[in-house]
Amino acid sequence: MCGIVAYIGKSKNGSQFVFQGLKKLEYRGYDSWGLAVKPLRSQVLKVEKHIGKIGQAKTKLPLSSIAIGHTRWATHGGVTNSNAHPHLDCSRKLAVIHNGIVENYQEIKTELKKKGHQFRSETDTEVIAHFIEEKLKTMSLRKAVFSTFKALSGSNAICVLDSKKETILACRDGSPLVVGIGKDEYFLASDVTPFLKKTKKAVFLKDREGVVLKRHGVSFFNLQTGKKKRIKVKIVNWEVEDAQKGGYSHFLIKEIFEQPKTISKTAELNREVIKKLSLKIKKGKKVILLGCGTASYCAKAAEYFFAHAGIEAQSYGAYEFLPFARFCNSKTIVIAISQSGETADTLIAVKKAKQKKALIAAIVNAPGSTLERLADFTLPVGAGPEIAVVSTKAFTSQLATLYLLSSSVKGKGDLGRKKIKSLDKSLRLWFKNGIKEKIIKLAKMLLDANDIYLIGKHLNYPAALEFALKIKETSYLHSEAFASGELKHGVISLIQKGTPCIALLDSQKKIKEEVLSSAMELKSRGAKIIGVAPFNSLVFDYHFKTPDLKELTLIPNIIVGQLLGYYLGLGRGTDPDKPRNLAKSVTVK
Ligand code: F6R
């Protein structure tokens, strides 16, 4: 996935706006970045490209009221200056930026080469610029852009700047694009954060829609018919401050510490939808939970929530769901969990389930996503912009939302809401109690470990999986989680003298005893046991105390993993906001 930002309007600082906007979208790709700017009183495009992250970059760009920019996560072509976007046509009057993969680009490129087009990069994107240039020989700019886009296969979003016509055009099919409507100025971006400061009026493009932005107006089109469309302007309720670091050194740590507020906020959301869905589930609909990565661990945890409510739910990593989609029918509810609502694997799984007539409920954070549009019911989790690449606050809000849903199924909706609401106070109190110093101490203990193993049982098993993922992603340290019951079936052979093992527990008596005895088995083989739990035990070599929240203790237990990942990352010299090789949402298969 990549980030797209564009500006057209009254300001002479359009290029600076795009440059700053790209910094907000850096989470979408940080291999390289670039801009194409039409300077004031000139039609000669100024193009600037750089390898690496845009984060701290400074640049001198000409004054401009029309500019586009891109931050790249490489798919086709290595990380080089020439492969960075924007890409130009032969005449250098058209600049194109792109998010997605043009699956048929080789065929198109071969044809265009035969017609004499000269290519300067190895990317799939560059073919778009030349293809439009070719079509412009026989048709108008709008037709050329739209018909080029329709000829591309795969999931794509493109943005084209024509310096001669002073026009920006964009199309989407499968990759997100949103238009911001300001006063005599218009914005285009992959999400709303670049233009939140300027306007909260947004139009989320749907698949197979196009837009033409000029200085004095914007028009939307149906790409299939080529006709103009009436559109609905949405007011985005995210605050500018939510997308800023607010005094923290990284978004990740800011987002971790926002959780008391973001989790408890979910208690007020989605009341009606939760009621409707729980009724359907109680009437016997089969529940399937889907997500990728962190969201798949949320799905796994929700399996246990539903089991406690007497419902047999089944969770899948969305990327493994297709063989099982055939068992979906009109009696199935598929609950798809996603921060971005744009994860390709999740969308593919959902589309398949939909074909089989399953009812789709989306538990999603980013507004206006593709998943939201596919769903019959949407439960926005309201965690606000999550800028750090690794998911934290969106995950815990998704978890809280599913807890609310399962509580409602159990007939204990009010109690569920009360418990989620009260997390604000209990987590804040816990945070105040010297948590930072304790985590740093733990991080120092683990800094040079080669491997860290985690164990947990029932709800603390998905918690352990998520804990391990946070360490892997943020600090690149190998960590692996197991259900504690699995140890003696093979895994225990990995343990050597001094191997750090983290046991996640809550205070439920029977489970606690089982996990402690698994921890003891590890300790007997030389492991160093770190207990993350509301209570201490003789088995623990080190105890990290979490608040006793009964079945919701998994939330603070996971937060320990988020914080540990962050401080381990700092200690090991990684960039916690932008781990290597990762992108915030994986919009490609
Ligand atoms: C991990 C992480 C990823 C995402 C996964 C799904 O910290 O962020 O594992 O959870 O790529 O993304 P969404 O939730 O946007 O569907």
Side-chain angles (χ1 to χ4, degrees):
M1 100 178 172
C2 304
I4 287 176
V5 185
Y7 176 90
I8 186 162
K10 62 184 176 188
S11 168
K12 290 177 191 157
N13 291 321
S15 44
Q16 266 309 318
F17 169 84
V18 170
F19 179 61
Q20 296 306 332
L22 285 179
K23 293 189 176 188
K24 300 219 161 56
L25 290 191
E26 195 185 21
Y27 73 86
R28 299 183 63 87
Y30 30 89
D31 296 330
S32 54
W33 57 276
L35 288 99
V37 173
K38 193 202 92 62
L40 294 181
R41 292 177 289 281
S42 164
Q43 283 185 358
V44 182
L45 282 176
K46 160 112 175 88
V47 176
E48 190 161 330
K49 301 184 187 194
H50 296 269
I51 291 174
K53 297 174 182 174
I54 193 169
Q56 300 310 319
K58 290 196 174 84
T59 186
K60 228 175 152 211
L61 292 160
L63 290 178
S64 165
S65 51
I66 308 179
I68 63 175
H70 185 267
T71 173
R72 179 171 187 240
W73 186 67
T75 56
H76 289 66
V79 181
T80 62
N81 245 356
S82 52
N83 287 337
H85 301 207
H87 292 283
L88 304 185
D89 65 342
C90 299
S91 75
R92 302 185 66 88
K93 291 201 175 81
L94 290 174
V96 175
I97 51 180
H98 165 227
N99 176 22
I101 293 179
V102 180
E103 288 168 3
N104 55 342
Y105 85 102
Q106 279 296 8
E107 296 131 68
I108 302 173
K109 191 169 178 174
T110 311
E111 283 309 306
L112 289 168
K113 270 185 169 172
K114 278 187 208 156
K115 291 188 170 133
H117 290 265
Q118 302 282 327
F119 286 81
R120 303 174 195 103
S121 79
E122 299 151 343
T123 63
D124 51 343
T125 305
E126 193 184 352
V127 302
I128 303 170
H130 294 279
F131 206 2
I132 297 170
E133 181 179 37
E134 187 60 33
K135 283 179 186 271
L136 276 173
K137 291 177 183 164
T138 55
M139 54 183 90
S140 70
L141 175 66
R142 174 159 58 85
K143 284 198 173 138
V145 171
F146 289 178
S147 75
T148 295
F149 186 73
K150 285 199 286 182
L152 310 177
S153 39
S155 292
N156 294 296
I158 63 165
C159 170
V160 181
L161 163 57
D162 183 323
S163 61
K164 217 166 119 199
K165 298 243 161 68
E166 303 203 336
T167 306
I168 291 174
L169 303 96
C171 308
R172 96 156 251 174
D173 192 3
S175 292
L177 274 183
V178 53
V179 177
I181 313 279
K183 206 167 173 309
D184 299 326
E185 55 185 354
Y186 303 95
F187 318 94
L188 180 91
S190 301
D191 79 26
V192 296
T193 49
F195 60 75
L196 266 183
K197 233 182 189 169
K198 299 266 193 181
T199 182
K200 293 208 170 162
K201 288 187 192 164
V203 179
F204 293 89
L205 285 199
K206 295 188 185 138
D207 280 346
R208 292 172 293 284
E209 280 184 358
V211 60
V212 178
L213 300 115
K214 291 183 180 274
R215 277 179 204 281
H216 301 295
V218 53
S219 327
F220 295 86
F221 293 85
N222 176 325
L223 290 180
Q224 258 142 351
T225 60
K227 294 208 170 116
K228 261 195 188 175
K229 276 193 85 166
R230 289 179 70 83
I231 42 89
K232 239 175 140 177
V233 177
K234 264 196 170 189
I235 305 296
V236 180
N237 60 10
W238 281 2
E239 298 303 325
V240 179
E241 301 77 53
D242 292 343
Q244 291 169 344
K245 282 189 196 150
Y248 287 93
S249 35
H250 294 94
F251 282 108
L252 180 58
I253 192 70
K254 176 191 174 232
E255 287 162 10
I256 293 172
F257 281 124
E258 271 175 358
Q259 290 175 106
K261 182 180 84 185
T262 49
I263 298 171
S264 60
K265 183 180 163 196
T266 61
E268 301 308 328
L269 304 176
N270 305 309
R271 281 179 187 242
E272 280 312 303
V273 184
I274 286 180
K275 228 188 244 172
K276 277 188 197 157
L277 276 178
S278 63
L279 226 108
K280 288 184 189 293
I281 295 171
K282 277 197 259 189
K283 281 188 179 159
K285 291 249 189 203
K286 182 179 164 200
V287 178
I288 288 183
L289 297 143
L290 294 178
C292 291
T294 287
S296 76
Y297 301 145
C298 182
K300 186 97 203 133
E303 243 181 29
Y304 292 91
F305 288 155
F306 279 112
H308 293 161
I311 299 295
E312 186 193 0
Q314 206 153 10
S315 75
Y316 295 91
Y319 34 77
E320 280 299 318
F321 181 62
L322 289 192
F324 307 96
R326 56 194 285 233
F327 305 116
C328 286
N329 55 40
S330 59
K331 294 196 179 102
T332 316
I333 293 188
V334 167
I335 302 179
I337 306 159
S338 175
Q339 189 289 126
S340 60
E342 301 293 348
T343 301
D345 289 324
T346 306
L347 296 177
I348 291 166
V350 163
K351 282 178 191 159
K352 195 79 195 164
K354 216 172 148 75
Q355 273 170 19
K356 296 280 169 190
K357 310 254 180 307
L359 197 78
I360 311 293
I363 300 210
V364 63
N365 186 42
S369 68
T370 307
L371 181 58
E372 196 174 306
R373 270 197 293 279
L374 286 173
D376 302 290
F377 293 95
T378 299
L379 295 89
V381 300
E386 193 180 68
I387 312 284
V389 165
V390 307
S391 190
T392 54
K393 63 173 181 169
F395 166 75
T396 46
S397 288
Q398 289 160 344
L399 206 57
T401 304
L402 283 154
Y403 181 75
L404 292 168
L405 177 59
S406 66
S407 304
S408 171
V409 171
K410 210 168 159 185
K412 302 221 162 138
D414 287 344
L415 181 64
R417 264 198 299 279
K418 211 169 134 195
K419 284 191 180 182
I420 292 294
K421 224 172 164 174
S422 70
L423 290 186
D424 190 6
K425 202 170 156 201
S426 21
L427 292 177
R428 265 180 219 282
L429 217 81
W430 176 55
F431 281 172
K432 271 192 192 153
N433 220 348
I435 195 167
K436 185 175 161 190
E437 292 69 31
K438 288 179 197 161
I439 285 282
I440 291 176
K441 189 173 165 198
L442 182 56
K444 281 185 179 158
M445 275 165 55
L446 295 171
L447 207 58
D448 298 320
N450 289 323
D451 313 281
I452 300 175
Y453 296 106
L454 285 108
I455 55 167
K457 191 174 176 68
H458 298 350
L459 274 170
N460 273 297
Y461 170 48
L465 291 167
E466 173 60 6
F467 196 120
L469 181 60
K470 291 294 90 113
I471 294 179
K472 281 185 262 206
E473 288 177 309
T474 321
S475 71
Y476 315 154
L477 207 161
H478 173 244
S479 58
E480 212 61 62
F482 302 99
S484 57
E486 200 186 332
L487 284 179
K488 45 187 173 296
H489 302 290
V491 182
I492 203 157
S493 64
L494 294 169
I495 305 303
Q496 304 175 58
K497 193 168 173 342
T499 308
C501 293
I502 303 178
L504 302 189
L505 293 108
D506 59 32
S507 56
Q508 294 178 69
K509 194 162 180 299
K510 193 158 179 319
I511 304 172
K512 169 177 153 181
E513 281 161 8
E514 279 185 51
V515 180
L516 285 178
S517 92
S518 300
M520 198 60 215
E521 287 162 11
L522 293 172
K523 196 178 167 94
S524 314
R525 271 101 190 149
K528 196 166 167 187
I529 308 295
I530 296 145
V532 175
F535 55 85
N536 202 348
S537 157
L538 285 175
V539 186
F540 301 158
D541 295 296
Y542 183 83
H543 174 219
F544 200 102
K545 190 170 167 32
T546 46
D548 187 354
L549 304 172
K550 305 286 179 270
E551 71 279 20
L552 287 173
T553 305
L554 86 156
I555 292 181
N557 285 358
I558 287 166
I559 292 176
V560 175
Q562 299 171 345
L563 287 166
L564 187 57
Y566 176 74
Y567 284 107
L568 278 172
L570 288 187
R572 291 164 64 89
T574 68
D575 178 346
D577 276 348
K578 299 172 208 93
R580 67 183 175 208
N581 305 337
L582 295 180
K584 178 78 185 147
S585 102
V586 188
T587 52
V588 291
K589 273 191 268 181

